[in-house]
Amino acid sequence: MIDLNTTELISQIAGQTGKTPEEIKSLIDAKVQKFSGLLTEQGAIYMVQKELGLKQETMEQIAINDLKEGMKGIEIKGEITAVFPVKEFDKNGKKGKLRSFILNDSTGEVRVTLWNEQVDQFPVTRGNEIIITNIFVKLYNDTKQVTLGFNGKIEIKNKKEIMPTKLAELKSAMSSVGVLGRIMRKFPCKDFESGERKGKLCSFQLADESAIIRATAWNEKADEIEKYNEGDVIEIENAYTKEGRFGVELHLGYSADIKETTKSVPSQIELLKDQTELKKITDTNEGENAVIEGKIISIEKGNLFYTVCSKCGKKITSTTEGYLCDNCGETTPKKNPVLSIILKDDSASIKVSFFGKNVLKAIGIEENILEEKINLIGAEKVIEELNENIFEKKLKIFGYTKINSFSGNKEFIARELIE
Ligand SMILES: [Zn+2]
């Protein structure tokens, strides 16, 4: 209690325990001596109160806006609106760590910092409603900051789960943003120099079911993002947004927190398909995802199967030693269906290539039946049959456009057939 001085506290404790004030005083002095000056008198009194089994009276609760430098032994409560990542430091050869968070009540907000073992003792999450007892208020860079005093405690009163912000709802100049999404594309990281400082940035595309956005991770966060793969689902806390070349962009600065998560986000294909527009064949651009719709006007000649790595599905090379995969090294082969068709809409026609299950879906034949047919009459005859059977069949295809390096023509690679 801030308004009780030492003498008043001692007589209060004496009254509560039936001991004399002198006895209490000597208990307190013994504590102070034992901790050879590291313990304040207030801290010693608190320990004595605890040892005597006195229930700690509820501390005076102060509104965040009323906190003043030098206040101690009080409590505050509020909701955690941002949690910053753990920072490790080395001070005079001693390693330590700290974690800060922002506590908000109806009157204002304040930064709270946990030091060393407190970091693990009090795991805090954005959205937690907490009471912090026995705090200290200090000034740090002219800003009030709260730390836990001796025996300070954080009690979680209510765990409100904060839903990540939908990517489509991000607006320019937001701070303490939390999002959940799948990494769709990673762009090559870059080193940069700005004045004296050198830095690094990694940009990537992040998607949820609402949108695909551009994100950039800076410096140590760039190193963290580099470890993730396209397709990984991540949760990001404490990012900020800025208007950029690609609309509202997400930035991961020094206070951003990146976590891998098992929370569900639709698959890469689902996400892309949902956010890709239907285009006329003439309007498709190299490297761009699109959905196209048209009729089959012919089937291209080919073997209908090619050999891939049985582990990862990538192309493999046959050597005298066996099969080699760029990804997996020595491996075993697997046959994978392949098919190219010419698709036409009212704007143009384009060569479309299908692989794997999409081939079978496009022609409406099961894999073992297709294999049997090829064994029986050969691939050339099967293609002739297909040319008759599926001529003018309508297909709606999600995929991307590329330029054939031999012919220079636009081609379409199917990623999925849309029913
Ligand atoms: Zn492989």
Side-chain angles (χ1 to χ4, degrees):
M1 314 277 268
I2 46 165
D3 43 0
L4 286 187
N5 64 33
T6 309
T7 325
E8 285 169 328
L9 265 172
I10 289 173
S11 70
Q12 189 191 61
I13 297 167
Q16 286 165 323
T17 55
K19 292 186 191 295
T20 64
E22 290 69 33
E23 283 174 307
I24 304 298
K25 180 83 173 81
S26 66
L27 284 173
I28 293 165
D29 290 344
K31 287 286 175 219
V32 174
Q33 266 186 12
K34 188 175 166 191
F35 289 93
S36 52
L38 290 171
L39 196 60
T40 61
E41 205 169 44
Q42 291 273 337
I45 294 172
Y46 183 87
M47 279 179 89
V48 168
Q49 281 175 314
K50 252 189 106 176
E51 278 178 17
L52 293 173
L54 294 179
K55 265 216 339 237
Q56 184 62 18
E57 302 270 310
T58 47
M59 285 187 183
E60 189 174 351
Q61 205 171 78
I62 302 282
I64 287 175
N65 196 38
D66 296 334
L67 291 176
K68 301 224 162 41
E69 184 191 1
M71 280 183 167
K72 57 186 176 185
I74 51 169
E75 69 174 40
I76 51 176
K77 76 168 181 188
E79 184 184 324
I80 298 175
T81 51
V83 178
F84 301 102
V86 174
K87 286 237 181 318
E88 291 185 349
F89 59 85
D90 205 317
K91 199 178 173 188
N92 309 324
K94 244 186 105 184
K95 280 192 165 48
K97 59 180 175 182
L98 66 90
R99 161 162 248 163
S100 297
F101 60 88
I102 303 292
L103 191 73
N104 199 298
D105 68 8
S106 54
T107 69
E109 60 175 38
V110 70
R111 181 183 279 257
V112 182
T113 302
L114 303 176
W115 295 90
N116 301 318
E117 60 275 9
Q118 294 170 349
V119 173
D120 301 311
Q121 201 181 346
F122 304 113
V124 287
T125 315
R126 195 160 67 97
N128 283 171
E129 281 169 23
I130 60 169
I131 291 185
I132 318 178
T133 44
N134 208 13
I135 62 161
F136 256 97
V137 186
K138 291 184 192 166
L139 268 192
Y140 184 79
N141 287 344
D142 276 343
T143 314
K144 277 175 273 180
Q145 242 200 67
V146 164
T147 52
L148 269 62
F150 185 78
N151 270 336
K153 218 170 61 186
I154 295 180
E155 199 184 334
I156 297 172
K157 292 308 233 185
N158 192 11
K159 282 188 180 177
K160 193 167 70 177
E161 212 203 326
I162 294 277
M163 299 311 284
T165 306
K166 291 273 169 254
L167 297 181
E169 285 162 17
L170 292 178
K171 288 177 192 67
S172 193
M174 290 169 86
S175 58
S176 297
V177 177
V179 298
L180 168 71
R182 194 180 286 278
I183 299 174
M184 304 297 280
R185 264 183 88 177
K186 280 170 70 187
F187 302 103
C189 296
K190 284 180 212 157
D191 292 315
F192 67 87
E193 263 185 77
S194 111
E196 294 280 277
R197 286 194 300 170
K198 282 187 178 151
K200 176 177 170 183
L201 67 88
C202 297
S203 289
F204 58 101
Q205 271 184 347
L206 190 73
D208 65 9
E209 64 279 16
S210 72
I212 299 183
I213 59 153
R214 176 87 167 200
T216 299
W218 299 88
N219 304 319
E220 65 263 45
K221 302 301 154 182
D223 293 334
E224 280 184 49
I225 279 295
E226 225 178 352
K227 292 183 203 136
Y228 289 98
N229 297 312
E230 289 181 357
D232 286 349
V233 175
I234 54 171
E235 249 182 311
I236 301 169
E237 289 277 350
N238 295 318
Y240 61 96
T241 60
K242 253 166 102 173
E243 190 74 29
R245 210 148 48 95
F246 302 91
V248 175
E249 296 174 20
L250 192 71
H251 288 265
L252 286 66
Y254 71 97
S255 54
D257 209 1
I258 310 164
K259 280 182 292 191
E260 195 162 4
T261 175
T262 51
K263 285 185 186 161
S264 103
V265 168
S267 77
Q268 237 172 326
I269 288 222
E270 289 303 317
L271 286 167
L272 279 171
K273 203 171 67 183
D274 284 357
Q275 290 160 26
T276 305
E277 37 173 343
L278 181 68
K279 279 198 163 175
K280 296 274 180 215
I281 290 170
T282 36
D283 296 337
T284 56
N285 298 312
E286 182 183 3
E288 219 174 65
N289 289 308
V291 174
I292 58 172
E293 195 172 20
K295 283 179 181 168
I296 299 176
I297 54 166
S298 75
I299 313 282
E300 299 273 286
K301 288 200 168 72
N303 292 326
L304 291 172
F305 277 99
Y306 70 114
T307 316
V308 295
C309 168
S310 60
K311 292 174 198 157
C312 71
K314 294 255 161 70
K315 245 185 178 161
I316 52 173
T317 38
S318 163
T319 71
T320 47
E321 306 288 307
Y323 287 93
L324 276 181
C325 167
D326 285 349
N327 272 353
C328 316
E330 219 172 302
T331 185
T332 50
K334 197 186 92 178
K335 280 174 130 191
N336 200 33
V338 57
L339 176 79
S340 292
I341 60 154
I342 305 294
L343 192 84
K344 187 179 184 302
D345 67 8
D346 56 21
S347 74
S349 60
I350 192 168
K351 178 172 158 182
V352 181
S353 296
F354 297 91
F355 301 92
K357 63 174 182 24
N358 287 326
V359 171
L360 309 164
K361 252 171 110 179
I363 62 180
I365 300 177
E366 278 176 47
E367 184 160 356
N368 54 346
I369 296 175
L370 182 63
E371 265 186 281
E372 260 174 50
K373 274 190 139 198
I374 294 172
N375 288 338
L376 217 62
I377 58 173
E380 205 177 319
K381 275 260 184 299
V382 175
I383 288 174
E384 266 175 41
E385 269 185 29
L386 285 174
N387 253 322
E388 279 171 31
N389 297 341
I390 59 171
F391 177 69
E392 294 215 311
K393 182 178 177 179
K394 259 181 112 174
L395 296 178
K396 191 173 177 183
I397 310 156
F398 160 67
Y400 63 96
T401 310
K402 68 170 210 180
I403 304 293
N404 184 307
S405 47
F406 282 118
S407 63
N409 290 335
K410 264 205 304 196
E411 285 184 11
F412 199 72
I413 308 297
R415 298 178 89 147
E416 192 158 279
L417 270 171
I418 302 171
E419 307 292 333

